[in-house]
Amino acid sequence: MELKDYLLALKERWWLVVLMMVLGVGAAVAVTAASPRVYEAQTELFVAPDTGTTSAELAQGSSYVLDRVKSYVRVIDRELVLGPVIDDLGLDTTVADLSEDVDASVVEETVVVQITARADSPAEAADLADAVATEFRENAAQLEPQRGEDGGSVVRVTVIDSAREPQSPVSPQPVLNLALGLLVGTGAGVAAAVMRQALDRRVRGEEDAKALTGVPMVGQLPLDADTTRAPLALGEHLIGPRAEALRQVRTNLQFLDLPSARRSYVITSSLPGEGKSVTALSLAATLAEAGQRVCYVEADLRQGSAAHYLSLEGAVGLTHVLIGAAELDDVLQPASTNLDVVLAGAVPPNPSELLSSDAMDSLLRRLEADYDVVLVDAPPLLPVTDAAILAKRCRGALLIVALGRKAVDRQELADAVEILRTVDADLLGFVINKAPRRGPNRSHAYIPYGGETTTARHAVPRARRQGMKKALQSP
């Protein structure tokens, strides 16, 4: 993946990053609330030589203590010191457990021993630190040889800073926990977004489709919630971004015709649900709007839907013509000005055989002679072979590639293209369908001239419209 792919992953899946951030902060809050309060108190001891009167003897004693003081701290969390502390404070614990709450260290290049004690309350922490310091000071004499004359110890331990009750706990640390939760959540969200992007094999947009098909994009149709309800760009539906995008497809389709006079096209897709039938119907209506005589042929003999969209009688259609039960003129139905349709008719037991028959070839040649453009709505390529058969008999195929939740897998799109190439059918181009209005793969329909429904903020006031109308009507 390149840098732009990572940025695209974060842009498209920002919600996943935000979700993981919220979960990370929530986990930090929960851990903070559930963690017990721990308080920490400290006391300091000064270890000095207790022998000698001359400068040389004192220097020698100081050097001796400096070498030995590191060994002293190792006995502070041992039985020698902590055993009596447990007895003195009446603690219900063991030396091993208590040693985890007591630490001792030597301040660097000094003979100062720092004792740290932790407990569940400020008072207990201070009492524990002082008790450990007192017990160590009393037992320090046992760790060194005694002086010969008076039997005293060669070292002296003095408490230089008694423990004070802490004002706030050292654990948990809400600010640190929240910052850590936010950091971990953000990292997990970024990793999840990038991983999902890497594992997402769906076609993401024009660049993916162009790389997999090797043909140009003929057009890009925006996602429109009203498409299923009103698939045809007729009447009041001649406005809006989708209608303008269809006009762009119509224009680009004219440039694909230069090498050949044949004007029959197969409209298909890789899988069901990509909107090939709705797109074929809408494109047929858009071509008819430009004054061309168009015939829409519903060659999806397995699952036809045009009769429902057009509110026409679909009992008799293409199937009956191919088996010789009806004439073409009997099944042609006008859908609008310049647009006639041939619906699928009854579902036959052998659709592929009918579509590959000479009767179908003759029908296409006749329609090409009678109409300016013939659009053949064929089944998807991967489930059945019908579209590949028809594409070979027509000028070529236009492949509908849907984005979003219905987006086709990259391998599936590549397999669909390979099916067409296997039969030497021409893939003329692809049409992106259901392109998002926002994001890197958004539709670029020219909305201002598309007549998209205006809002009150942009609408011309009624009084001004009436004035303009009167002015136009006046001589």
Side-chain angles (χ1 to χ4, degrees), residues 346-365:
V347 178
N350 55 343
S352 298
E353 287 74 10
L354 289 180
L355 295 176
S356 61
S357 65
D358 293 337
M360 184 66 190
D361 190 67
S362 299
L363 176 65
L364 290 173
R365 302 291 82 79

Side-chain angles (χ1 to χ4, degrees), residues 173-195:
Q173 300 180 14
V175 176
L176 179 60
N177 289 348
L178 291 177
L180 185 61
L182 180 62
L183 180 62
V184 173
T186 303
V190 171
V194 172
M195 183 174 296

Side-chain angles (χ1 to χ4, degrees), residues 85-98:
V85 169
I86 293 175
D87 295 336
D88 293 342
L89 298 179
L91 301 178
D92 184 17
T93 185
T94 63
V95 172
D97 293 336
L98 186 60

Side-chain angles (χ1 to χ4, degrees), residues 133-151:
T134 300
E135 194 63 36
F136 171 71
R137 185 169 59 84
E138 293 177 355
N139 287 278
Q142 303 178 22
L143 303 176
E144 295 295 341
Q146 306 298 309
R147 288 192 300 241
E149 297 178 357
D150 55 7

